[in-house]
Amino acid sequence: MKKTISIKIAKYINDMAPEEIYDLLEIPPVADMGDFSLPCFTMAKKFRKAPAQIAVELKEQIEKNGDETGFTRIQAVNGYLNFFLNRKEYMQEILSGAIREDYGTGTKGAGKVICMDYSSPNIAKNFHVGHLRTTIIGNSLYKIYAKLGYQIVRINHLGDWGTQFGKLIVAYRKWSSRELVEEKGIEELLRIYVLFNAEAEKDPVLNDEARAWFAEMEKGNPEALALWEWFKEISMVDFARVYRLLGVDFDFYTGESFYMDKVPAVVAELKQKGLLEESEGTNIVSLEQYEMPPCLITKKDGSSIYHSRDLAAVLYRQQEYHFDKCLYVTGMEQKLHFAQVFKVIELMGYEWHRELIHVPYGLVSLEGAKLSTRTGNIIYAEDILKESIKRAMEIIEQKNPVLPEKEQTAEKVGVGAIIFHDLYNQRIKNVSFSWENVLNFDGASGPYVQYTYARAGSILRKAQAEGKESIDARLLTTQAEYELVKVIDRYPEKIKEAAERFEPFILARYAIELAAAFNKFYQDCPILTAAAGVKTARLGLTGLARKIIRETMGLLGIECPEAM
């Protein structure tokens, strides 16, 4: 309907495209002000007229040419052009489209490839709450883009190379043993890593030893690589448990080590294109004229670094997958790193540098302190998820102890609460982790939306209906029914907006809006006791709302239990 209105208005404004008008259209805060409204204030300077005059003239032109079809009235008030829809026509049009299985599915991405780099935990370190953010945001964006028809290549760029492994080898040889690591797994690896950093503060020579061991890894030292492979295997078992709980999977687990043999070709190309410079024994690409520090390519000992490995990775991905876009879902603190990498790709002459996109997110803190594996101030992701599941089970035992499949339901609710809490706000905002916020099961929460879905399913089961029938909009006459249909109408638009802005929170907010509209409809409109025709129409609307709630939560990476 916004498109229809935009096209109508554009016919009377020579210098504005329908897309510009579409972006200006608003949904008024109260029904008395119409269903859609065009504020004319931004046009005032352009057309040298008062906003109120613009609104009146547009209204007169639309009515003069008979373009008010589909509206019961058009109103010009204080610089706003308000449109009141013909409700029955509008509702029938929306509902007939919304009951289709492919409602909300787009074709914008047909034939296009997006590479997505997300999650990327560090080997030999626990998967902590900070890693949850990239995993949850990335997984939701993957589902959103897939819904719009894109082919997605999901890449887990594991942190499995670098000086930290030199540190770990030194720590293992000094303070641990095979027996301890086999007994305690990643917990022991983390213990000795934290211990190394504490001891290195007192004895900087330890850092030299670590760098030397990493250099041995790069040279192919069998002892160093055998320890590294072992640490990696232990870590992957730990990560797999977390990914199973989150319902997350990847197409490729190609970490930094995968690109090691590709770094020399990057160095050679940079040299051949006159971009490589020597600086105090290191190789760099100078970015001074772009007001950025130099991009370090190789260290003094000749070993690679994050920049060179990321350059090798992006060149490989373009060659292998021919992506149209490549997204990096990482913390805001890596903004400069990716700005440097993307700028070097541009300087190398690759036009597709414009399609390299950093999707940053805010930090996760524990009572204001940044999480860090160097100090051990961490919360483990698996512990959070299991604690949330446990608390969900306690609520089920209190409120519905005879619920079938309690364990599965508790897992969906507990994990869903964590995911929804993360995605409910803009990704760039910092998250202060606290159980009070994460496990708020009232109001704007995942469990609230899940319960709404379960309630709708209960109604349909009682009526022995699937809710997939065609819906006769002529029988839906209440304000609550109309408002619910209006929210359903916005579903495809919200998916596209979330994709364009790389913002899953748009769909999380929409899920709350949809659940609230359904619950208002449920309270105001008897369903099972309504007259036959009305009952059928309301059951159809119930089934439709339920389907879209499930799909919206699915795009966030959250499952909805059938009963709660």
Side-chain angles (χ1 to χ4, degrees), residues 87 90-91 95 472-488 517 520-522 524-527 530 534-535 537-539 541:
R87 292 191 175 189
Y90 166 74
M91 289 170 73
L95 293 173
D472 189 345
R474 294 171 300 177
L475 301 172
L476 302 174
T477 59
T478 69
Q479 186 66 27
E481 290 163 329
Y482 181 55
E483 293 299 331
L484 178 54
V485 172
K486 283 169 66 177
V487 176
I488 288 170
K520 176 67 172 163
F521 157 69
Y522 172 79
D524 290 2
C525 305
I527 300 172
V534 175
K535 176 181 175 180
R538 287 178 178 170
L539 284 171
L541 186 55

PDB file of all heavy atoms in Angstrom, residues 87 90-91 95 472-488 517 520-522 524-527 530 534-535 537-539 541:
ATOM      1  N   ARG A  87     -10.996  -0.187   4.271  1.00  0.00           N
ATOM      2  CA  ARG A  87     -10.512  -1.287   5.098  1.00  0.00           C
ATOM      3  C   ARG A  87     -10.776  -2.665   4.499  1.00  0.00           C
ATOM      4  O   ARG A  87      -9.899  -3.521   4.482  1.00  0.00           O
ATOM      5  CB  ARG A  87     -11.123  -1.201   6.496  1.00  0.00           C
ATOM      6  CG  ARG A  87     -10.625  -0.001   7.285  1.00  0.00           C
ATOM      7  CD  ARG A  87     -11.031  -0.090   8.738  1.00  0.00           C
ATOM      8  NE  ARG A  87     -10.452   0.997   9.502  1.00  0.00           N
ATOM      9  CZ  ARG A  87     -10.496   1.079  10.826  1.00  0.00           C
ATOM     10  NH1 ARG A  87     -11.113   0.129  11.515  1.00  0.00           N
ATOM     11  NH2 ARG A  87      -9.933   2.093  11.460  1.00  0.00           N
ATOM     12  N   TYR A  90      -8.587  -3.262   1.452  1.00  0.00           N
ATOM     13  CA  TYR A  90      -7.189  -3.371   1.874  1.00  0.00           C
ATOM     14  C   TYR A  90      -6.933  -4.695   2.585  1.00  0.00           C
ATOM     15  O   TYR A  90      -5.978  -5.415   2.267  1.00  0.00           O
ATOM     16  CB  TYR A  90      -6.854  -2.197   2.794  1.00  0.00           C
ATOM     17  CG  TYR A  90      -5.572  -2.344   3.574  1.00  0.00           C
ATOM     18  CD1 TYR A  90      -4.339  -2.210   2.952  1.00  0.00           C
ATOM     19  CD2 TYR A  90      -5.594  -2.622   4.940  1.00  0.00           C
ATOM     20  CE1 TYR A  90      -3.149  -2.343   3.665  1.00  0.00           C
ATOM     21  CE2 TYR A  90      -4.427  -2.755   5.666  1.00  0.00           C
ATOM     22  CZ  TYR A  90      -3.209  -2.612   5.023  1.00  0.00           C
ATOM     23  OH  TYR A  90      -2.049  -2.753   5.731  1.00  0.00           O
ATOM     24  N   MET A  91      -7.793  -5.045   3.528  1.00  0.00           N
ATOM     25  CA  MET A  91      -7.599  -6.269   4.296  1.00  0.00           C
ATOM     26  C   MET A  91      -7.672  -7.504   3.398  1.00  0.00           C
ATOM     27  O   MET A  91      -6.879  -8.433   3.533  1.00  0.00           O
ATOM     28  CB  MET A  91      -8.628  -6.360   5.428  1.00  0.00           C
ATOM     29  CG  MET A  91      -8.378  -5.351   6.547  1.00  0.00           C
ATOM     30  SD  MET A  91      -9.738  -5.277   7.733  1.00  0.00           S
ATOM     31  CE  MET A  91      -9.518  -6.806   8.620  1.00  0.00           C
ATOM     32  N   LEU A  95      -4.569 -10.050   3.057  1.00  0.00           N
ATOM     33  CA  LEU A  95      -4.747 -11.418   3.552  1.00  0.00           C
ATOM     34  C   LEU A  95      -4.625 -12.457   2.445  1.00  0.00           C
ATOM     35  O   LEU A  95      -4.084 -13.545   2.664  1.00  0.00           O
ATOM     36  CB  LEU A  95      -6.101 -11.543   4.251  1.00  0.00           C
ATOM     37  CG  LEU A  95      -6.235 -10.741   5.555  1.00  0.00           C
ATOM     38  CD1 LEU A  95      -7.662 -10.794   6.071  1.00  0.00           C
ATOM     39  CD2 LEU A  95      -5.265 -11.244   6.607  1.00  0.00           C
ATOM     40  N   ASP A 472     -12.121 -14.448   4.769  1.00  0.00           N
ATOM     41  CA  ASP A 472     -13.093 -13.488   4.238  1.00  0.00           C
ATOM     42  C   ASP A 472     -12.991 -12.201   5.046  1.00  0.00           C
ATOM     43  O   ASP A 472     -13.489 -12.118   6.174  1.00  0.00           O
ATOM     44  CB  ASP A 472     -14.502 -14.071   4.316  1.00  0.00           C
ATOM     45  CG  ASP A 472     -15.519 -13.202   3.582  1.00  0.00           C
ATOM     46  OD1 ASP A 472     -15.192 -12.041   3.263  1.00  0.00           O
ATOM     47  OD2 ASP A 472     -16.637 -13.697   3.330  1.00  0.00           O
ATOM     48  N   ALA A 473     -12.320 -11.185   4.489  1.00  0.00           N
ATOM     49  CA  ALA A 473     -12.083  -9.937   5.211  1.00  0.00           C
ATOM     50  C   ALA A 473     -13.372  -9.187   5.514  1.00  0.00           C
ATOM     51  O   ALA A 473     -13.403  -8.357   6.434  1.00  0.00           O
ATOM     52  CB  ALA A 473     -11.140  -9.049   4.409  1.00  0.00           C
ATOM     53  N   ARG A 474     -14.445  -9.476   4.780  1.00  0.00           N
ATOM     54  CA  ARG A 474     -15.712  -8.770   5.029  1.00  0.00           C
ATOM     55  C   ARG A 474     -16.260  -9.064   6.414  1.00  0.00           C
ATOM     56  O   ARG A 474     -17.051  -8.298   6.961  1.00  0.00           O
ATOM     57  CB  ARG A 474     -16.745  -9.167   3.981  1.00  0.00           C
ATOM     58  CG  ARG A 474     -16.403  -8.712   2.555  1.00  0.00           C
ATOM     59  CD  ARG A 474     -17.352  -9.323   1.556  1.00  0.00           C
ATOM     60  NE  ARG A 474     -17.300 -10.787   1.581  1.00  0.00           N
ATOM     61  CZ  ARG A 474     -18.078 -11.571   0.843  1.00  0.00           C
ATOM     62  NH1 ARG A 474     -18.960 -11.031   0.017  1.00  0.00           N
ATOM     63  NH2 ARG A 474     -17.968 -12.884   0.915  1.00  0.00           N
ATOM     64  N   LEU A 475     -15.816 -10.199   6.989  1.00  0.00           N
ATOM     65  CA  LEU A 475     -16.306 -10.610   8.305  1.00  0.00           C
ATOM     66  C   LEU A 475     -15.410 -10.135   9.442  1.00  0.00           C
ATOM     67  O   LEU A 475     -15.722 -10.359  10.616  1.00  0.00           O
ATOM     68  CB  LEU A 475     -16.439 -12.137   8.356  1.00  0.00           C
ATOM     69  CG  LEU A 475     -17.383 -12.731   7.300  1.00  0.00           C
ATOM     70  CD1 LEU A 475     -17.298 -14.246   7.296  1.00  0.00           C
ATOM     71  CD2 LEU A 475     -18.814 -12.277   7.560  1.00  0.00           C
ATOM     72  N   LEU A 476     -14.311  -9.481   9.100  1.00  0.00           N
ATOM     73  CA  LEU A 476     -13.398  -8.943  10.115  1.00  0.00           C
ATOM     74  C   LEU A 476     -13.643  -7.444  10.223  1.00  0.00           C
ATOM     75  O   LEU A 476     -13.159  -6.652   9.411  1.00  0.00           O
ATOM     76  CB  LEU A 476     -11.944  -9.231   9.718  1.00  0.00           C
ATOM     77  CG  LEU A 476     -11.587 -10.715   9.513  1.00  0.00           C
ATOM     78  CD1 LEU A 476     -10.165 -10.849   8.991  1.00  0.00           C
ATOM     79  CD2 LEU A 476     -11.777 -11.511  10.802  1.00  0.00           C
ATOM     80  N   THR A 477     -14.412  -7.047  11.214  1.00  0.00           N
ATOM     81  CA  THR A 477     -14.910  -5.669  11.262  1.00  0.00           C
ATOM     82  C   THR A 477     -14.394  -4.854  12.443  1.00  0.00           C
ATOM     83  O   THR A 477     -14.671  -3.658  12.527  1.00  0.00           O
ATOM     84  CB  THR A 477     -16.450  -5.686  11.331  1.00  0.00           C
ATOM     85  OG1 THR A 477     -16.857  -6.423  12.495  1.00  0.00           O
ATOM     86  CG2 THR A 477     -17.049  -6.324  10.088  1.00  0.00           C
ATOM     87  N   THR A 478     -13.655  -5.473  13.366  1.00  0.00           N
ATOM     88  CA  THR A 478     -13.240  -4.744  14.568  1.00  0.00           C
ATOM     89  C   THR A 478     -11.904  -4.028  14.348  1.00  0.00           C
ATOM     90  O   THR A 478     -11.125  -4.369  13.456  1.00  0.00           O
ATOM     91  CB  THR A 478     -13.085  -5.689  15.771  1.00  0.00           C
ATOM     92  OG1 THR A 478     -11.942  -6.532  15.542  1.00  0.00           O
ATOM     93  CG2 THR A 478     -14.330  -6.548  15.963  1.00  0.00           C
ATOM     94  N   GLN A 479     -11.630  -3.046  15.203  1.00  0.00           N
ATOM     95  CA  GLN A 479     -10.379  -2.309  15.131  1.00  0.00           C
ATOM     96  C   GLN A 479      -9.182  -3.220  15.411  1.00  0.00           C
ATOM     97  O   GLN A 479      -8.130  -3.106  14.776  1.00  0.00           O
ATOM     98  CB  GLN A 479     -10.391  -1.144  16.140  1.00  0.00           C
ATOM     99  CG  GLN A 479      -9.185  -0.217  16.066  1.00  0.00           C
ATOM    100  CD  GLN A 479      -9.118   0.561  14.749  1.00  0.00           C
ATOM    101  OE1 GLN A 479     -10.139   0.812  14.113  1.00  0.00           O
ATOM    102  NE2 GLN A 479      -7.913   0.928  14.335  1.00  0.00           N
ATOM    103  N   ALA A 480      -9.334  -4.161  16.357  1.00  0.00           N
ATOM    104  CA  ALA A 480      -8.229  -5.057  16.713  1.00  0.00           C
ATOM    105  C   ALA A 480      -7.857  -5.958  15.532  1.00  0.00           C
ATOM    106  O   ALA A 480      -6.669  -6.233  15.293  1.00  0.00           O
ATOM    107  CB  ALA A 480      -8.597  -5.903  17.928  1.00  0.00           C
ATOM    108  N   GLU A 481      -8.857  -6.426  14.802  1.00  0.00           N
ATOM    109  CA  GLU A 481      -8.584  -7.257  13.620  1.00  0.00           C
ATOM    110  C   GLU A 481      -7.857  -6.449  12.556  1.00  0.00           C
ATOM    111  O   GLU A 481      -6.886  -6.922  11.940  1.00  0.00           O
ATOM    112  CB  GLU A 481      -9.899  -7.813  13.063  1.00  0.00           C
ATOM    113  CG  GLU A 481     -10.535  -8.852  13.963  1.00  0.00           C
ATOM    114  CD  GLU A 481     -12.002  -9.095  13.634  1.00  0.00           C
ATOM    115  OE1 GLU A 481     -12.687  -8.144  13.181  1.00  0.00           O
ATOM    116  OE2 GLU A 481     -12.469 -10.226  13.824  1.00  0.00           O
ATOM    117  N   TYR A 482      -8.328  -5.221  12.357  1.00  0.00           N
ATOM    118  CA  TYR A 482      -7.720  -4.349  11.364  1.00  0.00           C
ATOM    119  C   TYR A 482      -6.264  -4.036  11.716  1.00  0.00           C
ATOM    120  O   TYR A 482      -5.369  -4.091  10.853  1.00  0.00           O
ATOM    121  CB  TYR A 482      -8.534  -3.061  11.269  1.00  0.00           C
ATOM    122  CG  TYR A 482      -8.036  -2.065  10.260  1.00  0.00           C
ATOM    123  CD1 TYR A 482      -7.845  -2.421   8.926  1.00  0.00           C
ATOM    124  CD2 TYR A 482      -7.771  -0.744  10.627  1.00  0.00           C
ATOM    125  CE1 TYR A 482      -7.397  -1.499   7.994  1.00  0.00           C
ATOM    126  CE2 TYR A 482      -7.329   0.182   9.699  1.00  0.00           C
ATOM    127  CZ  TYR A 482      -7.131  -0.195   8.382  1.00  0.00           C
ATOM    128  OH  TYR A 482      -6.691   0.712   7.463  1.00  0.00           O
ATOM    129  N   GLU A 483      -6.004  -3.731  12.983  1.00  0.00           N
ATOM    130  CA  GLU A 483      -4.642  -3.409  13.416  1.00  0.00           C
ATOM    131  C   GLU A 483      -3.718  -4.616  13.256  1.00  0.00           C
ATOM    132  O   GLU A 483      -2.550  -4.469  12.886  1.00  0.00           O
ATOM    133  CB  GLU A 483      -4.637  -2.930  14.873  1.00  0.00           C
ATOM    134  CG  GLU A 483      -5.341  -1.597  15.103  1.00  0.00           C
ATOM    135  CD  GLU A 483      -4.702  -0.446  14.333  1.00  0.00           C
ATOM    136  OE1 GLU A 483      -3.474  -0.499  14.077  1.00  0.00           O
ATOM    137  OE2 GLU A 483      -5.429   0.494  13.960  1.00  0.00           O
ATOM    138  N   LEU A 484      -4.225  -5.811  13.506  1.00  0.00           N
ATOM    139  CA  LEU A 484      -3.416  -7.021  13.334  1.00  0.00           C
ATOM    140  C   LEU A 484      -3.059  -7.229  11.864  1.00  0.00           C
ATOM    141  O   LEU A 484      -1.904  -7.562  11.531  1.00  0.00           O
ATOM    142  CB  LEU A 484      -4.158  -8.244  13.888  1.00  0.00           C
ATOM    143  CG  LEU A 484      -3.455  -9.605  13.730  1.00  0.00           C
ATOM    144  CD1 LEU A 484      -2.047  -9.583  14.312  1.00  0.00           C
ATOM    145  CD2 LEU A 484      -4.289 -10.710  14.372  1.00  0.00           C
ATOM    146  N   VAL A 485      -4.005  -7.008  10.975  1.00  0.00           N
ATOM    147  CA  VAL A 485      -3.737  -7.145   9.541  1.00  0.00           C
ATOM    148  C   VAL A 485      -2.699  -6.114   9.095  1.00  0.00           C
ATOM    149  O   VAL A 485      -1.811  -6.413   8.287  1.00  0.00           O
ATOM    150  CB  VAL A 485      -5.032  -7.005   8.721  1.00  0.00           C
ATOM    151  CG1 VAL A 485      -4.732  -6.948   7.220  1.00  0.00           C
ATOM    152  CG2 VAL A 485      -5.977  -8.162   9.018  1.00  0.00           C
ATOM    153  N   LYS A 486      -2.790  -4.910   9.624  1.00  0.00           N
ATOM    154  CA  LYS A 486      -1.814  -3.871   9.273  1.00  0.00           C
ATOM    155  C   LYS A 486      -0.397  -4.283   9.689  1.00  0.00           C
ATOM    156  O   LYS A 486       0.573  -4.032   8.969  1.00  0.00           O
ATOM    157  CB  LYS A 486      -2.194  -2.546   9.936  1.00  0.00           C
ATOM    158  CG  LYS A 486      -3.337  -1.821   9.228  1.00  0.00           C
ATOM    159  CD  LYS A 486      -3.869  -0.654  10.040  1.00  0.00           C
ATOM    160  CE  LYS A 486      -2.866   0.452  10.212  1.00  0.00           C
ATOM    161  NZ  LYS A 486      -3.436   1.607  10.947  1.00  0.00           N
ATOM    162  N   VAL A 487      -0.272  -4.924  10.839  1.00  0.00           N
ATOM    163  CA  VAL A 487       1.051  -5.384  11.280  1.00  0.00           C
ATOM    164  C   VAL A 487       1.536  -6.524  10.370  1.00  0.00           C
ATOM    165  O   VAL A 487       2.701  -6.568   9.978  1.00  0.00           O
ATOM    166  CB  VAL A 487       1.020  -5.842  12.753  1.00  0.00           C
ATOM    167  CG1 VAL A 487       2.369  -6.417  13.169  1.00  0.00           C
ATOM    168  CG2 VAL A 487       0.653  -4.676  13.665  1.00  0.00           C
ATOM    169  N   ILE A 488       0.642  -7.427  10.026  1.00  0.00           N
ATOM    170  CA  ILE A 488       0.991  -8.524   9.109  1.00  0.00           C
ATOM    171  C   ILE A 488       1.468  -7.969   7.765  1.00  0.00           C
ATOM    172  O   ILE A 488       2.407  -8.497   7.156  1.00  0.00           O
ATOM    173  CB  ILE A 488      -0.213  -9.470   8.930  1.00  0.00           C
ATOM    174  CG1 ILE A 488      -0.435 -10.279  10.215  1.00  0.00           C
ATOM    175  CG2 ILE A 488      -0.027 -10.394   7.737  1.00  0.00           C
ATOM    176  CD1 ILE A 488      -1.735 -11.055  10.244  1.00  0.00           C
ATOM    177  N   ALA A 517      -0.118  -7.219  18.896  1.00  0.00           N
ATOM    178  CA  ALA A 517      -1.329  -7.038  18.087  1.00  0.00           C
ATOM    179  C   ALA A 517      -2.199  -8.290  18.133  1.00  0.00           C
ATOM    180  O   ALA A 517      -3.436  -8.199  18.206  1.00  0.00           O
ATOM    181  CB  ALA A 517      -0.944  -6.710  16.647  1.00  0.00           C
ATOM    182  N   LYS A 520      -3.927  -8.472  21.559  1.00  0.00           N
ATOM    183  CA  LYS A 520      -5.039  -7.504  21.613  1.00  0.00           C
ATOM    184  C   LYS A 520      -6.253  -8.070  20.872  1.00  0.00           C
ATOM    185  O   LYS A 520      -7.394  -7.988  21.355  1.00  0.00           O
ATOM    186  CB  LYS A 520      -4.580  -6.188  20.990  1.00  0.00           C
ATOM    187  CG  LYS A 520      -5.645  -5.118  20.888  1.00  0.00           C
ATOM    188  CD  LYS A 520      -6.071  -4.611  22.244  1.00  0.00           C
ATOM    189  CE  LYS A 520      -6.986  -3.398  22.094  1.00  0.00           C
ATOM    190  NZ  LYS A 520      -7.751  -3.118  23.327  1.00  0.00           N
ATOM    191  N   PHE A 521      -6.020  -8.646  19.710  1.00  0.00           N
ATOM    192  CA  PHE A 521      -7.086  -9.302  18.940  1.00  0.00           C
ATOM    193  C   PHE A 521      -7.713 -10.440  19.743  1.00  0.00           C
ATOM    194  O   PHE A 521      -8.935 -10.579  19.816  1.00  0.00           O
ATOM    195  CB  PHE A 521      -6.484  -9.815  17.622  1.00  0.00           C
ATOM    196  CG  PHE A 521      -7.224 -10.943  16.966  1.00  0.00           C
ATOM    197  CD1 PHE A 521      -8.482 -10.754  16.397  1.00  0.00           C
ATOM    198  CD2 PHE A 521      -6.662 -12.214  16.902  1.00  0.00           C
ATOM    199  CE1 PHE A 521      -9.161 -11.808  15.788  1.00  0.00           C
ATOM    200  CE2 PHE A 521      -7.330 -13.276  16.301  1.00  0.00           C
ATOM    201  CZ  PHE A 521      -8.584 -13.067  15.746  1.00  0.00           C
ATOM    202  N   TYR A 522      -6.868 -11.240  20.401  1.00  0.00           N
ATOM    203  CA  TYR A 522      -7.342 -12.373  21.205  1.00  0.00           C
ATOM    204  C   TYR A 522      -8.235 -11.896  22.360  1.00  0.00           C
ATOM    205  O   TYR A 522      -9.258 -12.512  22.680  1.00  0.00           O
ATOM    206  CB  TYR A 522      -6.129 -13.138  21.734  1.00  0.00           C
ATOM    207  CG  TYR A 522      -6.448 -14.211  22.737  1.00  0.00           C
ATOM    208  CD1 TYR A 522      -6.943 -15.448  22.343  1.00  0.00           C
ATOM    209  CD2 TYR A 522      -6.248 -13.986  24.104  1.00  0.00           C
ATOM    210  CE1 TYR A 522      -7.235 -16.441  23.273  1.00  0.00           C
ATOM    211  CE2 TYR A 522      -6.531 -14.961  25.043  1.00  0.00           C
ATOM    212  CZ  TYR A 522      -7.024 -16.189  24.620  1.00  0.00           C
ATOM    213  OH  TYR A 522      -7.309 -17.160  25.545  1.00  0.00           O
ATOM    214  N   ASP A 524      -9.919  -8.931  22.533  1.00  0.00           N
ATOM    215  CA  ASP A 524     -11.084  -8.152  22.100  1.00  0.00           C
ATOM    216  C   ASP A 524     -12.081  -8.948  21.268  1.00  0.00           C
ATOM    217  O   ASP A 524     -13.258  -8.578  21.197  1.00  0.00           O
ATOM    218  CB  ASP A 524     -10.629  -6.939  21.279  1.00  0.00           C
ATOM    219  CG  ASP A 524      -9.926  -5.889  22.120  1.00  0.00           C
ATOM    220  OD1 ASP A 524      -9.764  -6.129  23.338  1.00  0.00           O
ATOM    221  OD2 ASP A 524      -9.532  -4.847  21.566  1.00  0.00           O
ATOM    222  N   CYS A 525     -11.625 -10.014  20.623  1.00  0.00           N
ATOM    223  CA  CYS A 525     -12.465 -10.702  19.641  1.00  0.00           C
ATOM    224  C   CYS A 525     -12.644 -12.178  20.010  1.00  0.00           C
ATOM    225  O   CYS A 525     -11.685 -12.965  19.859  1.00  0.00           O
ATOM    226  CB  CYS A 525     -11.844 -10.606  18.249  1.00  0.00           C
ATOM    227  SG  CYS A 525     -11.504  -8.920  17.714  1.00  0.00           S
ATOM    228  N   PRO A 526     -13.831 -12.589  20.476  1.00  0.00           N
ATOM    229  CA  PRO A 526     -14.056 -14.021  20.735  1.00  0.00           C
ATOM    230  C   PRO A 526     -13.812 -14.816  19.457  1.00  0.00           C
ATOM    231  O   PRO A 526     -14.240 -14.422  18.373  1.00  0.00           O
ATOM    232  CB  PRO A 526     -15.536 -14.070  21.132  1.00  0.00           C
ATOM    233  CG  PRO A 526     -15.873 -12.681  21.572  1.00  0.00           C
ATOM    234  CD  PRO A 526     -15.013 -11.770  20.749  1.00  0.00           C
ATOM    235  N   ILE A 527     -13.115 -15.920  19.581  1.00  0.00           N
ATOM    236  CA  ILE A 527     -12.774 -16.715  18.408  1.00  0.00           C
ATOM    237  C   ILE A 527     -13.595 -18.001  18.373  1.00  0.00           C
ATOM    238  O   ILE A 527     -14.402 -18.216  17.462  1.00  0.00           O
ATOM    239  CB  ILE A 527     -11.268 -17.030  18.378  1.00  0.00           C
ATOM    240  CG1 ILE A 527     -10.462 -15.721  18.328  1.00  0.00           C
ATOM    241  CG2 ILE A 527     -10.915 -17.905  17.160  1.00  0.00           C
ATOM    242  CD1 ILE A 527      -8.959 -15.895  18.477  1.00  0.00           C
ATOM    243  N   ALA A 530     -17.454 -17.375  18.450  1.00  0.00           N
ATOM    244  CA  ALA A 530     -18.035 -16.456  17.459  1.00  0.00           C
ATOM    245  C   ALA A 530     -18.980 -17.203  16.524  1.00  0.00           C
ATOM    246  O   ALA A 530     -18.951 -18.439  16.427  1.00  0.00           O
ATOM    247  CB  ALA A 530     -16.923 -15.792  16.657  1.00  0.00           C
ATOM    248  N   VAL A 534     -17.769 -15.824  11.090  1.00  0.00           N
ATOM    249  CA  VAL A 534     -16.793 -14.983  11.774  1.00  0.00           C
ATOM    250  C   VAL A 534     -15.721 -15.855  12.432  1.00  0.00           C
ATOM    251  O   VAL A 534     -14.527 -15.549  12.392  1.00  0.00           O
ATOM    252  CB  VAL A 534     -17.483 -14.085  12.823  1.00  0.00           C
ATOM    253  CG1 VAL A 534     -16.448 -13.303  13.625  1.00  0.00           C
ATOM    254  CG2 VAL A 534     -18.464 -13.137  12.140  1.00  0.00           C
ATOM    255  N   LYS A 535     -16.155 -16.957  13.036  1.00  0.00           N
ATOM    256  CA  LYS A 535     -15.214 -17.888  13.670  1.00  0.00           C
ATOM    257  C   LYS A 535     -14.190 -18.394  12.654  1.00  0.00           C
ATOM    258  O   LYS A 535     -12.985 -18.409  12.935  1.00  0.00           O
ATOM    259  CB  LYS A 535     -15.976 -19.060  14.279  1.00  0.00           C
ATOM    260  CG  LYS A 535     -15.094 -20.140  14.878  1.00  0.00           C
ATOM    261  CD  LYS A 535     -15.932 -21.290  15.439  1.00  0.00           C
ATOM    262  CE  LYS A 535     -15.054 -22.427  15.929  1.00  0.00           C
ATOM    263  NZ  LYS A 535     -15.838 -23.555  16.477  1.00  0.00           N
ATOM    264  N   ALA A 537     -13.232 -16.976   9.864  1.00  0.00           N
ATOM    265  CA  ALA A 537     -12.344 -15.874   9.466  1.00  0.00           C
ATOM    266  C   ALA A 537     -11.315 -15.591  10.555  1.00  0.00           C
ATOM    267  O   ALA A 537     -10.125 -15.375  10.272  1.00  0.00           O
ATOM    268  CB  ALA A 537     -13.162 -14.631   9.159  1.00  0.00           C
ATOM    269  N   ARG A 538     -11.770 -15.614  11.812  1.00  0.00           N
ATOM    270  CA  ARG A 538     -10.848 -15.323  12.916  1.00  0.00           C
ATOM    271  C   ARG A 538      -9.853 -16.458  13.129  1.00  0.00           C
ATOM    272  O   ARG A 538      -8.693 -16.208  13.497  1.00  0.00           O
ATOM    273  CB  ARG A 538     -11.640 -15.035  14.190  1.00  0.00           C
ATOM    274  CG  ARG A 538     -12.329 -13.678  14.144  1.00  0.00           C
ATOM    275  CD  ARG A 538     -13.168 -13.371  15.368  1.00  0.00           C
ATOM    276  NE  ARG A 538     -13.749 -12.037  15.263  1.00  0.00           N
ATOM    277  CZ  ARG A 538     -14.673 -11.540  16.077  1.00  0.00           C
ATOM    278  NH1 ARG A 538     -15.128 -12.296  17.089  1.00  0.00           N
ATOM    279  NH2 ARG A 538     -15.131 -10.319  15.917  1.00  0.00           N
ATOM    280  N   LEU A 539     -10.266 -17.680  12.905  1.00  0.00           N
ATOM    281  CA  LEU A 539      -9.321 -18.798  12.981  1.00  0.00           C
ATOM    282  C   LEU A 539      -8.270 -18.679  11.883  1.00  0.00           C
ATOM    283  O   LEU A 539      -7.090 -18.962  12.098  1.00  0.00           O
ATOM    284  CB  LEU A 539     -10.059 -20.132  12.869  1.00  0.00           C
ATOM    285  CG  LEU A 539     -10.831 -20.598  14.108  1.00  0.00           C
ATOM    286  CD1 LEU A 539     -11.687 -21.809  13.778  1.00  0.00           C
ATOM    287  CD2 LEU A 539      -9.879 -20.921  15.265  1.00  0.00           C
ATOM    288  N   LEU A 541      -7.233 -15.884  10.578  1.00  0.00           N
ATOM    289  CA  LEU A 541      -6.344 -14.797  10.981  1.00  0.00           C
ATOM    290  C   LEU A 541      -5.386 -15.268  12.083  1.00  0.00           C
ATOM    291  O   LEU A 541      -4.208 -14.905  12.103  1.00  0.00           O
ATOM    292  CB  LEU A 541      -7.177 -13.604  11.460  1.00  0.00           C
ATOM    293  CG  LEU A 541      -6.421 -12.315  11.794  1.00  0.00           C
ATOM    294  CD1 LEU A 541      -5.567 -11.859  10.618  1.00  0.00           C
ATOM    295  CD2 LEU A 541      -7.402 -11.220  12.217  1.00  0.00           C
TER     296      LEU A 541
END
